[in-house]
């Protein structure tokens, strides 16, 4: 009898050890905790699920289901409902067995490998992915905490904006001249709110766009009825009874009366969670090429991550959608057993200035260096332009900048990667067009421009 | 293009508010009266003169075909007017887009000439009433006795109509779908599509995007296709053999039921009456047997004798522009066929779906230029 019992418990011990081994050894089933359910966190979660049966928990203090921040403006303009902006159908998460958890993570302990929720709940992890995104930068001037002064980043900002425009119908001043500034302007205009935009540079987004494109878009924004004040900054936001009532400008000293002040001077990585830990932070949470932070089993991806070894000529924090998504893919590979390094690849992005679409592939600096030749074509009447940059001495094509015209991503990127010669690009240019069928094509104009250059 | 639908979800008419319900009730009531109680519209019965609404259309009808208006003449005129007026509205809204401009002009043309003027003139000349672009199985009465008799008694023109009707189904449709996809018909030619794209444009976002809706769509639309095939086979067999109980029920009853359930109730009352509640393409998506046929042609893969691998018959697809998608959801929301376009775009996959009518709206509303309709 005793012998039987002994054997049974012996088997049990072996079984238990085996299960514990399964649970703990790397490459086997782990508990992966992701803080932040933006595009970075969500992509990581889904891709990890594709690659294995780890337990996955994704935590957010913002929304129950992951949604597209990029679509916030369309919700405000009544073009989309909040529900339309969900990244995936809500049932996806249940089907993929990914635990979604609502709440704020307030503290991280890398020694006990656990995080703490604001409710006091402690959650243990085997691997932790920090994907906490960015937050809007607030200028260091008086008055930013007044009612009616806000940035546009989180879902809550949309609600705040909605509440403000419901009661206040006065002018809005937008401080900043970048992508979010123009989105904010379009949103407010759709509610018939007059807008003034304060742009620090000499024209809209002049620190990114080459002068011609920048001038074209500045004029376009004016044509929509927005007052664009360039070479100007805010020095003080004025209030009365706690509400914003004006913005004082730096150089003219003038006060622009307003009931709303939108701040859109950029975003910075949200590194709150790693404050007071041993994890290294510079602007963002520092990661190596494997997206590993300085603390073991902790990774950072998306807007909050800063690359220690960025590619030459590239920024260490690239707070854009596709980079966050690619990092999500990369980390998933690593956690599913195939250690993969994050490569920045060829830069590309897209945006929209009211109805003018913008695409960029490769390197298009705002100031063209002398070693680079730039070929710029603009439609005589419409807001359409094509710019192709190539190296003067070697003829290697470096980048494409497009306004109001769509080019095919795969073709442009392939040319840049294979260091195609400009003559080849010119010959095959029609392969790059991605405009809808029957659209007018401008390859002939570009080609004749190229031939006059030769 | 992407500012066209600003405020859509704020308006009561376009967000299933009270105005939408009111319009749906009015439209539905209109169809019920048209189909089953035309006397309310003023149709004179037993030779009596028309009064009311129908009476108003007598002069036009007399001018076009020399006889007083019927309720169908009134319907045809109003339908064409709706496509023309709302078509102009659409053209103004999409004036920057050539694809949208051309296809809208195309549906306006086909409706006015092929669906409205030509058949009425034919009728005035005592020829069979025939809309040359209405193809079996959408034109479910093509093989019914009365229609075949009318064509067979109409001499050369009648024989041409019969030949054309069959060729349109067995030859023209597969060939054009091979080159251009389903869209050549649904977004460029068809009258139901024409109304959906013009008058239905304000309601396109109301289509149901859920996977449940997709599942229902597949069941229902292919069932209707089977129904129309069975009905037509039954009717033709009866014609040839004289035996009436082909499918256990009288083939005449079968075709009458098809006409009532599918031809009237589904395509009219639900299909158009419910525009403001269910979106503009409910009939096209769930009910149209022609759409089912075109959808099969659009997605089917074939192995040609000279090739080792299966290739998709149709060259049409929507391609996505690399990683440029920002998952905003505009494409899925404004897809009238309820296709979750974003689900494909954010995975960088081509969109090849049986139901896609190639309207191109997903491509037009995408703020990042991610989608392109192409014949590869
Ligand atoms: C209005 C707007 C428009 C944009 N448009 C574009 C565009 O067109 N193209 C483009 O490339 N990029 C665009 N961007 C930038 C892009 O949205 C970001 O690069 C991207 O969302 C970053 O994704 P992420 O997953 O890293 O972070 P986020 O999307 O910021 O997600 C982080 C999430 O983590 C949550 N979180 C943070 N800390 C905690 C915590 N302690 N506990 C729990 N949850 C926490 C946050 O609340 C948030 O929900 C836009 C940004 C904005 C604001
Ligand atoms: S997928 Fe695009 S083209 Fe096809 S039906 Fe939907 S909106 Fe129209
Ligand atoms: S394809 Fe375009 S419209 Fe659709 S989700 Fe992506 S960016 Fe938005």
């Amino acid at each position: 009898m005793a012998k039987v019992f002994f054997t049974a418990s012996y088997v049990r011990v072996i079984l238990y050890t085996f299960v514990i081994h399964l649970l703990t050894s790397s490459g086997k089933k782990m508990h992966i905790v992701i803080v932040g359910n933006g595009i970075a966190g969500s992509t990581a979660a889904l891709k990890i699920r594709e690659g294995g049966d780890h337990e996955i928990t994704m935590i957010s203090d913002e929304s129950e289901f992951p949604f597209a921040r990029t679509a916030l403006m369309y919700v405000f303009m009544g073009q989309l409902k909040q529900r339309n902006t969900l990244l995936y159908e809500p049932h996806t998460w249940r089907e993929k067995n990914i635990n979604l958890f609502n709440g704020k993570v307030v503290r991280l302990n890398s020694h006990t490998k656990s995080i703490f929720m604001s409710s006091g709940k402690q959650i243990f992890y085997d691997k932790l992915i920090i994907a906490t995104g960015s937050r809007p930068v607030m200028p260091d001037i008086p008055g930013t905490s007044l009612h009616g002064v806000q940035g546009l980043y989180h879902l809550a900002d949309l609600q705040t904006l909605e509440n403000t425009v419901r009661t206040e119908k006065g002018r809005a001043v937008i401080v900043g001249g970048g992508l979010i500034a123009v989105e904010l302007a379009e949103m407010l205009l759709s509610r018939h709110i007059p807008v003034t935009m304060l742009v620090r540079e000499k024209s809209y987004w002049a620190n990114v766009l080459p002068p011609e494109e920048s001038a074209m878009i500045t004029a376009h924004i004016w044509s929509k009825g927005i007052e664009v004040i360039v070479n100007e900054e805010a020095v003080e936001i004025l209030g009365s009874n706690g509400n914003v009532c004006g913005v004082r400008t730096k150089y003219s000293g003038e006060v622009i009366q307003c009931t709303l002040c939108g701040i859109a001077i950029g975003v910075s990585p949200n590194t709150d969670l790693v404050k007071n830990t041993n994890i290294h932070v510079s602007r963002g949470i520092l990661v190596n090429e494997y997206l590993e932070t300085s603390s073991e089993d902790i990774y950072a991806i998306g807007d909050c991550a800063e690359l220690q070894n960025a590619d030459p000529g590239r920024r260490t924090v690239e707070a854009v959608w596709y980079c966050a998504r690619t990092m999500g893919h990369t980390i998933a590979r690593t956690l599913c057993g195939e250690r993969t390094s994050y490569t920045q690849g060829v830069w590309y992005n897209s945006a929209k200035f009211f109805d003018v679409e913008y695409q960029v592939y490769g390197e298009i600096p705002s100031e063209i260096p002398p070693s680079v030749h730039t070929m710029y074509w603009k439609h005589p009447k419409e807001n359409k332009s094509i710019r192709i940059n190539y190296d003067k001495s070697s003829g290697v094509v470096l980048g494409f900048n497009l306004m109001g015209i769509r080019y095919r991503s795969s073709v442009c990127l392939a040319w840049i990667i294979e260091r195609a010669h400009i003559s080849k690009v010119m010959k095959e240019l029609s392969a790059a067009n991605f405009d809808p069928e029957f659209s007018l094509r401008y390859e002939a104009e570009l080609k004749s421009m190229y031939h006059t250059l030769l | 293009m992407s500012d066209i639908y600003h405020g859509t979800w704020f308006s009561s008419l376009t967000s299933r508010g009270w105005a939408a319900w009111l319009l749906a009730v009015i439209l539905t009531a209109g169809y019920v009266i048209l189909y089953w109680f035309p006397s309310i519209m003023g149709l004179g019965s037993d030779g009596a003169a028309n009064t009311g609404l129908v009476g108003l259309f007598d002069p036009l009808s007399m001018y076009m075909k020399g006889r007083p208006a019927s309720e169908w003449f009134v319907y045809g005129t109003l339908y064409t007017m709706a496509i023309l007026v709302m078509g102009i509205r659409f053209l103004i809204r999409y004036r920057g887009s050539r694809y949208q401009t051309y296809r809208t002009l195309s549906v306006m043309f086909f409706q006015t000439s092929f669906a409205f003027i030509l058949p009425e003139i034919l009728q005035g000349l005592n020829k069979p009433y025939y809309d040359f672009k209405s193809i079996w199985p959408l034109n479910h009465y093509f093989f019914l006795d009365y229609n075949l008799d009318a064509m067979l008694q109409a001499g050369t023109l009648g024989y041409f109509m019969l030949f054309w009707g069959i060729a349109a189904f067995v030859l023209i449709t597969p060939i054009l779908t091979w080159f251009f996809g389903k869209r050549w018909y649904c977004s460029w030619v068809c009258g139901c599509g024409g109304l959906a794209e013009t008058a239905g444009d304000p309601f396109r976002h109301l289509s149901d995007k859920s996977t449940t809706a997709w599942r229902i769509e597949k069941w229902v639309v292919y069932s209707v296709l089977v129904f129309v095939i069975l009905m037509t086979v039954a009717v033709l067999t009866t014609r040839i053999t004289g035996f009436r109980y082909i499918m256990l029920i009288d083939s005449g009853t079968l075709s009458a039921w098809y006409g009532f359930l599918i031809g009237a109730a589904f395509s009219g009352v639900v299909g158009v009456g419910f525009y403001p509640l269910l979106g503009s393409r409910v009939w096209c998506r769930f009910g149209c047997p022609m759409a089912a046929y075109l959808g099969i042609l659009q997605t089917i893969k074939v192995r040609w004798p000279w090739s080792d691998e299966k290739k998709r018959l149709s060259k049409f697809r929507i391609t996505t522009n690399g990683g440029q998608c920002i998952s905003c959801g505009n494409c899925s929301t404004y897809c009238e066929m309820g296709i979750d376009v974003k689900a494909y775009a954010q995975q960088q996959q081509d969109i090849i779906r049986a139901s896609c009518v190639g309207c191109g709206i997903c491509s037009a509303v995408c703020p990042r230029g991610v989608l392109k309709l192409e014949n590869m």
Side-chain angles (χ1 to χ4, degrees):
Chain A
M1 198 61 199
K3 200 173 169 198
V4 173
F5 175 72
F6 175 77
T7 352
S9 61
Y10 182 68
V11 168
R12 212 178 302 155
V13 168
I14 292 184
L15 251 171
Y16 280 7
T17 334
F18 181 65
V19 168
I20 289 169
H21 173 78
L22 266 183
L23 288 173
T24 52
S25 68
S26 68
K28 296 284 160 15
K29 191 163 171 161
M30 305 180 283
H31 185 206
I32 298 172
V33 174
I34 305 170
V35 185
N37 69 350
I39 185 67
S42 302
T43 308
L46 285 169
K47 293 289 158 186
I48 292 170
R49 175 54 73 240
E50 278 176 25
D53 62 348
H54 302 297
E55 188 184 345
I56 306 170
T57 303
M58 184 158 66
I59 307 170
S60 165
D61 60 355
E62 188 179 15
S63 62
E64 187 183 1
F65 295 108
F67 75 100
R69 197 172 301 297
T70 45
L72 283 176
M73 65 180 295
Y74 301 106
V75 176
F76 186 80
M77 297 189 301
Q79 183 165 325
L80 298 178
K81 285 216 275 202
Q82 180 67 46
R83 182 150 191 333
N84 302 136
T85 70
L86 295 184
L87 293 179
Y88 295 90
E89 287 292 303
H91 60 78
T92 313
W93 306 101
R94 209 179 335 108
E95 277 164 22
K96 306 269 177 192
N97 194 18
I98 292 167
N99 312 313
L100 298 184
F101 205 89
N102 234 298
K104 189 171 178 64
V105 182
V106 286
R107 202 157 62 79
L108 149 66
N109 187 331
S110 55
H111 304 292
T112 57
K113 297 185 84 169
S114 61
I115 53 171
F116 296 85
M117 308 295 299
S118 57
S119 62
K121 187 181 158 76
Q122 184 179 15
I123 299 174
F124 291 92
Y125 63 82
D126 295 306
K127 304 276 180 187
L128 178 70
I129 302 176
I130 304 175
T132 48
S134 314
R135 59 161 56 111
V137 175
M138 282 290 151
D140 194 14
I141 57 175
T144 50
S145 55
L146 287 164
H147 206 80
V149 181
Q150 70 164 108
L152 175 69
Y153 192 88
H154 290 105
L155 213 44
D157 298 329
L158 211 57
Q159 196 52 54
T160 315
L161 191 64
E162 189 71 59
N163 293 342
T164 309
V165 301
R166 283 235 172 102
T167 50
E168 306 288 348
K169 296 285 180 205
R171 176 167 288 275
V173 172
I174 297 174
V175 181
L179 291 175
I180 295 185
V182 82
E183 290 194 357
L184 202 49
E186 183 173 355
M187 290 159 71
L188 293 169
L189 220 57
S190 80
R191 302 287 184 95
H192 312 290
I193 292 168
V195 177
T196 300
M197 217 156 130
L198 288 186
V199 178
R200 191 172 57 184
E201 289 77 23
K202 63 181 188 300
S203 57
Y204 173 79
W205 220 27
N207 51 336
V208 174
L209 294 177
E212 290 85 355
E213 282 93 331
S214 177
M216 174 168 106
I217 298 302
T218 311
H220 183 58
I221 299 175
W222 266 107
S223 78
K224 294 288 167 181
I226 289 167
E227 189 183 19
V228 188
I229 303 183
V230 297
N231 295 317
E232 192 53 285
E233 285 172 51
V235 275
E236 188 187 357
I237 302 172
L238 309 167
S240 79
N241 304 324
N243 291 321
V244 59
C245 68
V247 171
R248 191 190 305 282
T249 58
K250 186 169 176 180
Y251 302 108
S252 71
E254 184 199 352
V255 172
I256 308 168
Q257 308 282 337
C258 65
T259 53
L260 181 85
C261 176
I263 305 289
I265 56 171
V267 296
S268 67
N270 176 359
T271 58
D272 282 1
L273 191 55
V274 298
K275 269 189 196 137
N276 311 319
T277 67
N278 54 359
I279 297 174
H280 297 171
V281 175
S282 171
R283 267 190 67 213
I285 304 170
L286 285 169
V287 293
N288 63 11
E289 64 271 39
Y290 297 105
L291 304 170
E292 297 159 344
T293 66
S294 56
S295 183
E296 204 182 343
D297 294 331
I298 301 180
Y299 307 83
I301 57 173
D303 277 16
C304 67
E306 173 167 5
L307 301 173
Q308 269 164 334
N309 311 306
D311 288 348
R314 292 287 285 271
R315 280 167 296 154
T316 54
V317 178
E318 291 181 327
V320 296
W321 191 259
Y322 87 89
C323 293
R325 193 183 50 208
T326 315
M327 286 189 191
H329 274 272
T330 312
I331 196 66
R333 283 242 189 104
T334 300
L335 293 186
C336 293
E338 185 191 335
R339 196 160 180 243
T340 309
S341 66
Y342 172 72
T343 41
Q344 285 174 295
V346 179
W347 169 256
Y348 66 86
N349 205 10
S350 54
K352 189 176 69 72
F353 312 103
F354 289 88
D355 37 7
V356 177
E357 286 173 19
Y358 156 69
Q359 292 187 338
V360 58
Y361 299 100
E363 251 177 79
I364 300 284
S366 57
E367 275 177 54
I368 316 284
S371 63
V372 170
H373 196 92
T374 189
M375 201 159 66
Y376 177 74
W377 169 85
K378 180 180 177 319
H379 191 281
K381 290 201 230 48
E382 293 168 42
N383 288 314
K384 290 182 176 179
S385 70
I386 304 171
R387 179 187 295 277
I388 305 180
N389 279 7
Y390 59 94
D391 188 79
K392 257 184 195 158
S393 52
S394 66
V396 166
V397 73
L398 301 169
F400 300 81
N401 212 45
L402 304 135
M403 294 286 175
I405 288 173
R406 302 173 177 177
Y407 265 17
R408 201 180 286 268
S409 167
S410 56
V411 173
C412 295
L413 297 182
W415 278 333
I416 296 169
I417 291 168
E418 73 189 36
R419 299 175 56 78
H421 193 271
I422 180 71
S423 59
K424 174 187 154 98
V425 170
M426 279 296 136
K427 208 159 85 205
E428 298 168 8
L429 196 61
S430 58
N433 191 286
F434 199 71
D435 271 339
E437 293 155 299
F438 307 117
S439 299
L440 291 178
R441 307 278 288 260
Y442 305 102
E443 281 105 44
E445 279 87 336
L446 261 120
K447 283 180 186 173
S448 73
M449 189 179 235
Y450 175 65
H451 287 298
T452 54
L453 284 173
L454 285 178
Chain B
M1 278 317 103
S2 49
D3 57 346
I4 288 179
Y5 297 104
H6 281 184
T8 299
W9 290 106
F10 294 155
S11 150
S12 155
L13 184 62
T14 53
S15 63
R16 296 197 189 100
W18 63 267
W21 281 90
L22 186 67
L23 182 62
V25 168
I26 293 171
L27 286 172
T28 310
Y31 272 98
V32 171
I33 291 171
L34 170 77
Y35 283 128
W36 297 296
F37 308 101
S39 59
I40 298 179
M41 293 163 67
L43 183 73
S45 50
D46 301 326
N50 290 327
T51 53
L53 183 67
V54 184
L56 284 179
F57 287 78
D58 276 342
L60 182 64
S61 182
M62 289 304 288
Y63 173 74
M64 286 178 71
K65 56 180 176 182
R67 58 179 97 154
S70 67
E71 75 271 39
W72 299 114
F73 182 82
V74 175
Y75 179 56
T77 316
L78 291 177
Y79 194 101
T80 308
M81 291 292 291
I83 291 190
L84 292 179
V85 171
M86 293 299 279
I88 290 169
R89 169 186 176 272
F90 189 92
L91 286 171
I92 295 171
R93 282 158 69 86
Y94 275 96
R95 59 191 172 279
S97 161
R98 290 177 168 241
Y99 183 77
Q100 297 303 337
T101 304
Y102 292 170
R103 78 177 177 90
T104 305
L105 289 173
S106 174
V107 289
M108 289 163 77
F109 165 77
F110 277 106
Q111 174 61 32
T112 318
S113 56
F114 279 57
F116 182 56
I117 298 178
L118 198 59
E120 296 297 347
I121 290 177
L122 284 171
Q123 225 183 5
L125 299 173
N126 269 324
K127 301 288 179 204
Y129 178 97
Y130 190 41
D131 173 355
F132 281 89
K133 66 162 182 49
S134 184
I135 302 170
W136 185 89
L138 175 59
N139 181 353
H140 57 89
Y141 53 79
F142 187 77
F143 292 106
L144 298 192
D145 270 343
Y146 79 88
N147 197 47
L148 286 179
D149 289 340
M151 289 190 289
L152 293 173
Q153 286 155 20
T156 325
L157 180 67
Y159 280 103
F160 174 71
M161 287 171 174
L162 184 60
F163 166 78
W164 173 261
I166 295 169
F169 169 70
V170 296
L171 270 180
I172 300 174
T173 299
I175 292 176
L176 287 176
T177 310
W178 173 12
F179 284 109
F180 306 114
K182 182 179 186 171
R183 55 184 174 153
W184 76 269
Y185 194 71
C186 299
S187 294
W188 287 75
V189 172
C190 180
C192 303
L195 191 72
E197 292 297 334
T198 53
D201 177 60
F203 309 112
R204 61 172 67 246
H205 56 286
L206 300 173
S207 57
D208 191 331
K209 312 313 189 280
S210 67
T211 34
T212 314
W214 185 11
R215 223 170 291 134
I216 295 172
E217 166 195 318
K218 285 191 275 195
W219 271 100
V220 177
V221 78
Y222 294 118
S223 302
V224 174
L225 181 62
V226 170
F227 188 3
V228 75
I229 292 172
L230 290 180
M231 184 273 282
T232 307
V233 168
V235 169
L236 285 175
T237 317
T238 303
R239 187 180 177 95
I240 294 161
T241 64
F243 186 63
R244 296 176 45 161
Y245 294 91
I246 308 297
M247 306 282 163
L248 299 177
I249 34 172
D250 173 26
S251 60
T253 316
L254 198 63
S255 74
W257 271 102
Y258 185 91
F260 169 74
L261 279 178
I262 311 296
F266 203 155
S267 80
V269 181
V270 180
V272 180
F274 290 5
Y275 265 17
L277 302 176
L278 299 177
S280 51
R281 287 270 195 178
V282 170
W283 158 250
C284 310
R285 182 180 175 195
F286 295 96
C288 177
M290 182 71 185
Y293 174 44
L294 287 158
I296 293 171
L297 293 172
Q298 176 154 283
T299 45
I300 198 170
K301 285 182 171 177
V302 287
R303 181 182 287 121
W304 298 111
W306 56 86
S307 134
D308 322 326
E309 50 170 347
K310 275 192 166 183
K311 264 193 70 181
R312 211 171 291 276
L313 179 74
S314 172
K315 295 173 181 297
F316 170 72
R317 63 220 47 215
I318 303 175
T319 51
T320 53
N321 205 7
Q324 294 280 28
C325 173
I326 53 167
S327 304
C328 68
N330 277 298
C331 51
S332 298
T333 305
Y334 287 90
C335 174
E336 55 193 349
M337 298 307 283
I339 299 172
D340 191 356
V341 185
K342 173 176 74 177
Y344 299 83
Q346 62 188 357
Q347 309 292 342
Q348 308 183 23
Q349 290 165 353
D350 289 355
I351 296 122
I352 301 172
R353 279 276 293 268
S355 61
C356 173
V357 291
C359 64
I361 298 298
C362 53
S363 163
V365 296
C366 172
R368 295 294 178 269
V370 175
L371 306 161
K372 179 166 159 69
L373 281 64
E374 293 189 87
N375 309 310
M376 300 294 276

